[in-house]
């Protein structure tokens, strides 16, 4: 049996803004940032108003706020009529129909026992004593022979 070793895909990892040696999976970034901030209390990092995982120095924050990729989603939330929609809105199409799926169909109820008695269905009696099963099989043979089925 050969062992497969899976190397981590470092392209999917993010770099910690506090320590560039730290590589973090995107799903664990928020948890890591809260823990790592305790280890670097002297670092003056400011959180982005659009995404709390974006941390930058005070000097770089103004530039980041202008270029932040999450800014457009916030602006769409605040001013939905001012910006074009992210996805085209569906056209309200109403189709009139005469069908009523809640109405009961005009069909009689189905009784499987009466159907099997009329049609030629091979049946097997369950739960009957051996003598009653023998009698049932004999009656079924007679019924099939009378109607020329076998």
């Amino acid at each position: 049996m050969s062992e497969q070793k899976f190397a981590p895909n470092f392209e999917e990892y993010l770099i910690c803004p506090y320590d560039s040696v730290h590589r973090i999976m995107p799903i664990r970034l928020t948890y890591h940032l809260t823990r790592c901030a305790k280890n670097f209390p002297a670092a003056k990092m400011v959180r982005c108003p659009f995404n709390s995982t974006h941390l930058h120095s005070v000097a770089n924050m103004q530039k980041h706020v202008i270029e932040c990729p999450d800014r457009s989603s916030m602006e769409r939330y605040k001013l939905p009529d001012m910006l074009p929609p992210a996805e085209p809105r569906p056209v309200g199409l109403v189709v009139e129909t005469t069908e009523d799926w809640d109405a009961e169909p005009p069909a009689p109820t189905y009784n499987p026992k009466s159907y099997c008695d009329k049609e030629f269905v091979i049946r097997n009696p369950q739960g009957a004593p051996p003598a009653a099963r023998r009698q049932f099989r004999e009656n079924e043979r007679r019924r099939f022979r009378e109607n020329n089925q076998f």
Side-chain angles (χ1 to χ4, degrees), residues 119-123 137-150:
E119 299 296 324
F120 298 105
V121 177
I122 298 174
R123 299 181 289 172
R137 284 194 298 270
E138 185 58 38
N139 291 341
E140 288 294 293
R141 284 189 198 109
R142 190 176 314 116
R143 185 170 70 100
F144 281 121
R145 276 192 215 117
E146 289 173 358
N147 294 305
N148 295 323
Q149 291 297 318
F150 286 102

Side-chain angles (χ1 to χ4, degrees), residues 3-13 23 25:
E3 286 188 35
Q4 291 182 343
K5 294 197 177 197
F6 296 102
N9 188 359
F10 287 112
E11 296 168 356
E12 296 176 3
Y13 286 64
R23 302 281 191 253
M25 292 186 301

Side-chain angles (χ1 to χ4, degrees), residues 20-126:
S20 61
V21 177
H22 295 172
R23 302 281 191 253
I24 308 114
M25 292 186 301
I27 196 167
R28 303 278 302 162
L29 183 63
T30 54
Y31 178 72
H32 174 82
L33 290 176
T34 56
R35 296 203 54 191
C36 202
K38 294 175 185 175
N39 296 335
F40 295 91
K44 300 292 183 192
M45 301 295 256
V46 181
R47 293 191 185 272
C48 172
F50 307 116
N51 189 338
S52 64
T53 61
H54 295 171
L55 290 176
H56 294 280
S57 64
V58 177
N60 292 337
M61 183 50 73
Q62 186 175 8
K63 180 182 174 206
H64 172 76
V65 167
I66 294 170
E67 298 173 352
C68 182
D70 295 327
R71 180 181 176 155
S72 64
S73 62
M74 180 64 80
E75 288 180 358
R76 284 188 204 287
Y77 175 73
K78 283 183 168 180
L79 307 167
D81 297 333
M82 300 299 285
L83 295 172
E87 295 179 6
R89 293 185 179 145
V91 178
L93 181 64
V94 177
V95 177
E96 295 295 326
T97 180
T98 58
E99 288 183 299
D100 183 13
W101 287 37
D102 294 329
E104 292 293 323
T109 59
Y110 175 71
N111 186 353
K113 184 172 179 355
S114 65
Y115 174 79
C116 290
D117 288 340
K118 294 175 191 170
E119 299 296 324
F120 298 105
V121 177
I122 298 174
R123 299 181 289 172
N124 185 8
Q126 298 293 321

